[in-house]
Amino acid sequence: MADIETFKQENRVFAPPAELVKHAAISGMDAYHALNAEFAKDYEGTWARLAKDNLKWHKPFTQTLDESNAPFYKWFADGQVNVSYNCLDVNLENGNADKTAVIFESDDGKVTRVSYRELHQKVCQFANGLKSLGIKKGDRVVIYMPMSVEGVAAMQACARIGATHSVVFGGFSAKSLHERVIDAGAVAVLTADYQVRGGKQLPLKSIVDEALDMGGCDTLKHVVVYKRAGAEINWVEGRDLWLSDVVANQSDTCEPEWVDAEHPLFILYTSGSTGKPKGVQHASAGYLLWAVLTMKWTFDIKPDDVYWCTADIGWITGHTYIAYGPLAVGATQIVFEGVPTYPNAGRFWDMVARHKATIFYTAPTAIRSLIKAADADEKVHPKQYDLSSLRILGSVGEPINPEAWMWYYKNVGHENCPIVDTFWQTETGGHMISPLPGATPQVPGSCTLPLPGITAAIVDETGNDIPNGNGGILVVKRPWPSMIRTIWNDPERFKKSYFPEELGGKIYLAGDGAVRNKETGYFTITGRIDDVLNVSGHRMGTMEIESALVANSIVAEAAVVGKPDETTGESICAFVVLKRPRPTGDEAKQIAKELRDWVAKEIGPIAKPKEIRFGDNLPKTRSGKIMRRLLRVLAKGEAITQDVSTLENPAILDQLKEAQ
Ligand code: WTA
């Protein structure tokens, strides 16, 4: 289990402001307990009530939860919906047509406002354009686009016609994109000529070309290109189309394709403990229901809020809390193209002030890097900006350390904004464990309590409950509507990864360790229990990086471990054995750089090891197993105090001790 003992404890309790409690969707702990009691009394009935109250059904469902083929659970299976209808048309019908849906701010600071009416038209034209290409319900469409209104519209357009999208983060390499296009069997890639971030134009279309040139993408027929920058790009006649041509002359209404509740809305690839990323498949109705409920419960979204989630649409946070959730509740949201440090590290605070944002949701890594920047330069300190519009702050993607929590609370939230530290995963579809802003007293570093309906618990390796105060494995005992449905093309891996037999085959294994406080029952996440790293809130499999390294012809063997990092949470440290003698000095530096660039090409720049150490060998047991736990100690720069008697080659530890 990860360092439970060394986890820095912060025991101060921060109560939600009274004014917020008064008007909150879940107002006070009594309301929270009452909702829990309702679930405890009638689990399915409560979900059914919420599903009826919060979604518009084309055909009402009669069965709530179908457990007959567990763990392939089905929710609301005989009901029919359309997700895009629930995000857009619903707002035209209930008086939000002229309300701003999106305040888009470009990298260079240009602001565009898009109303619900305009967004609806845009999505309908996009959807009709896709239909004109022959794209239909059930087809898979890969989206490789920058943060933009068009990116959100692309996702909504797919949902409207029942095509299953798979968004690939713009920082992934051609090879990663290639793998995903093939695995998903995509018929089209929607992309842009370039993306613009931090004052730079970064190519997207040329990466798509490179990916498709790798061959084997037999299902692919179209590449649709949104012109963001207008610079030169390569063009393949007959395959490539400009988005502007695809949507030209298309009607601005498009009858939604009604789909079964379980219809796959999207596939999103994420890292697991083997080399191959997993295509996490989500359903339509259950997913959207939880997006709506968590917008109401965790963010307490109100009609006048200006909501801002800084994630990228390439990650699950950008799916649930940009592309779907905020629209489904008729919110006004900020969508930002750029990066937090351009033109300077005050950009987030400046944007909060200018747009009068009321809810701000970001990652601990961003906060930590902005703390550093503010320490170095007073001018970008949040105190220079008017942040008085803020009422709720959020954190997502990785543990937030108590120091960063306190800074965020004081300097950004002026000590009267609750911080919702939301624990969840690509697989869970939405928040799982989080404070409620108008109810839960917060303790820095703890994600506090499960949301109503979420049966999170901590168990041992055989699935037995563990008493509070002891660390164990985080599980969810009952299925919930927004849970992962399967791994695309690999139902066996789905069962093995998330519903292992050792735990009885029916409870969801999150892959994280956790501990509950003895008195309060509050959860603290202690880190992944598998070979998954979390670098700047990005999930990365150590095996994925190892496979990339050994794919290089000079590498004989590689082992990758995580190392605690002040800014990025964890950083990647690779131990590498070359097929040639172990390099030292400048040669080692040169080869390390080449290997880092190699990994960037194989997976993407986010997977570059921060540190590479070369050895003549790796520490192995007599049976040849690499002892990763020793490598983790070495990476941290600590002395090895563990028993090394099973080690075949203890002398190697000395060689790998020092960073090169
Ligand atoms: C980690 C991101 C601590 C965790 C939404 C999880 C967190 C993985 C938190 C999922 C949090 C996410 N506190 N750890 N509030 N939120 N994690 O799939 O290890 O990109 O399993 O989903 O991030 O990452 P993913």
Side-chain angles (χ1 to χ4, degrees), residues 345-409:
R347 181 69 182 264
F348 275 2
W349 320 134
D350 180 47
M351 282 180 63
V352 166
R354 273 190 290 112
H355 300 301
K356 300 199 169 29
T358 57
I359 302 174
F360 179 69
Y361 189 38
T362 197
T365 292
I367 298 166
R368 287 190 295 261
S369 73
L370 298 178
I371 296 176
K372 258 200 197 161
D375 283 349
D377 178 4
E378 277 271 290
K379 288 201 290 294
V380 296
H381 194 284
K383 70 183 173 210
Q384 311 288 355
Y385 302 84
D386 177 7
L387 305 182
S388 57
S389 56
L390 288 171
R391 64 182 199 98
I392 293 169
L393 302 177
S395 170
V396 58
E398 45 178 327
I400 178 162
N401 47 310
E403 297 87 329
W405 196 104
M406 285 308 306
W407 187 91
Y408 196 27
Y409 188 74

Side-chain angles (χ1 to χ4, degrees), residues 502-575:
E502 306 87 81
L503 300 181
K506 284 193 174 173
I507 63 175
Y508 172 80
L509 173 70
D512 283 286
V515 58
R516 296 185 76 160
N517 182 281
K518 259 196 187 134
E519 284 81 45
T520 58
Y522 277 15
F523 285 72
T524 292
I525 306 297
T526 51
R528 299 286 307 191
I529 52 171
D530 52 12
D531 297 319
V532 171
L533 303 183
N534 194 326
V535 182
S536 299
H538 299 152
R539 245 171 97 166
M540 226 104 48
T542 51
M543 298 266 283
E544 238 175 302
I545 305 168
E546 287 167 10
S547 314
L549 283 167
V550 296
N552 188 300
S553 60
I554 66 167
V555 176
E557 234 183 338
V560 168
V561 298
K563 169 178 173 173
D565 185 283
E566 245 184 36
T567 309
T568 59
E570 261 184 309
S571 69
I572 302 167
C573 182
F575 294 87

Side-chain angles (χ1 to χ4, degrees), residues 270 316-317 395-399 421-427 510 512 525 528 534 537 539:
T270 191
I316 189 68
T317 308
S395 170
V396 58
E398 45 178 327
D421 174 2
T422 60
F423 168 83
W424 60 296
Q425 307 174 300
T426 304
E427 294 86 344
D512 283 286
I525 306 297
R528 299 286 307 191
N534 194 326
R539 245 171 97 166

Side-chain angles (χ1 to χ4, degrees), residues 5-317:
E5 311 82 53
T6 60
F7 194 88
K8 213 167 180 181
Q9 202 66 39
E10 168 70 70
N11 288 318
R12 271 178 294 176
V13 177
F14 297 84
E19 199 43 38
L20 211 155
V21 177
K22 217 189 308 175
H23 304 286
I26 298 182
S27 169
M29 285 311 273
D30 288 349
Y32 168 71
H33 292 308
L35 201 43
N36 280 339
E38 191 189 340
F39 272 111
K41 199 162 151 229
D42 182 4
Y43 189 70
E44 284 187 43
T46 306
W47 282 119
R49 172 180 74 77
L50 292 166
K52 280 175 199 149
D53 291 352
N54 287 282
L55 295 183
K56 278 265 172 89
W57 293 85
H58 179 65
K59 177 175 166 242
F61 59 93
T62 60
Q63 189 185 14
T64 304
L65 170 62
D66 176 357
E67 303 188 79
S68 59
N69 188 27
F72 299 93
Y73 299 102
K74 289 185 182 152
W75 283 91
F76 321 117
D78 62 346
Q80 285 194 327
V81 293
N82 178 279
V83 167
S84 159
Y85 176 87
N86 270 278
C87 292
L88 301 170
D89 305 57
V90 163
N91 283 301
L92 305 194
E93 289 158 18
N94 66 11
N96 280 339
D98 295 314
K99 183 175 176 176
T100 299
V102 176
I103 303 172
F104 176 72
E105 181 158 322
S106 67
D107 188 62
D108 63 359
K110 267 203 239 39
V111 176
T112 320
R113 288 188 155 70
V114 184
S115 68
Y116 273 94
R117 191 195 313 281
E118 289 162 338
L119 188 61
H120 176 265
Q121 288 171 349
K122 215 178 176 69
V123 168
C124 286
Q125 283 175 329
F126 207 144
N128 286 326
L130 294 179
K131 281 210 278 196
S132 74
L133 300 178
I135 300 173
K136 55 184 190 313
K137 178 173 157 185
D139 284 344
R140 273 83 57 212
V141 173
V142 162
I143 298 177
Y144 189 61
M145 288 180 80
M147 285 300 291
S148 52
V149 175
E150 285 69 18
V152 173
M155 295 165 77
Q156 286 282 342
C158 288
R160 194 156 192 97
I161 64 171
T164 300
H165 62 67
S166 181
V167 184
V168 177
F169 174 60
F172 277 118
S173 68
K175 189 139 182 266
S176 298
L177 180 62
H178 177 248
E179 224 170 67
R180 287 156 173 76
V181 168
I182 290 189
D183 191 73
V187 297
V189 175
L190 314 180
T191 188
D193 53 354
Y194 288 83
Q195 56 180 333
V196 183
R197 288 163 65 82
K200 287 190 220 111
Q201 285 188 9
L202 308 162
L204 286 175
K205 169 66 165 60
S206 69
I207 296 176
V208 174
D209 292 338
E210 202 185 328
L212 300 182
D213 282 348
M214 289 176 184
C217 303
D218 305 332
T219 49
L220 194 110
K221 295 196 188 77
H222 312 284
V223 174
V224 178
V225 188
Y226 160 56
K227 193 184 276 182
R228 166 60 185 94
E232 260 315 274
I233 50 168
N234 173 50
W235 203 253
V236 178
E237 280 309 326
R239 184 196 74 184
D240 299 351
L241 297 158
W242 287 110
L243 174 61
S244 52
D245 291 335
V246 171
V247 300
N249 306 319
Q250 293 295 345
S251 161
D252 59 11
T253 60
C254 172
E255 181 63 18
E257 179 79 36
W258 303 108
V259 297
D260 292 342
E262 283 293 308
H263 180 72
L265 178 63
F266 65 86
I267 304 164
L268 183 58
Y269 287 86
T270 191
S271 296
S273 45
T274 69
K276 194 171 172 279
K278 310 187 263 202
V280 172
Q281 181 184 319
H282 278 286
S284 296
Y287 169 80
L288 191 67
L289 172 63
W290 196 232
V292 168
L293 289 174
T294 50
M295 283 302 300
K296 292 182 178 177
W297 294 351
T298 318
F299 292 128
D300 189 39
I301 194 84
K302 295 282 193 284
D304 293 339
D305 273 317
V306 176
Y307 162 94
W308 184 15
C309 165
T310 70
D312 191 286
I313 52 167
W315 307 113
I316 189 68
T317 308

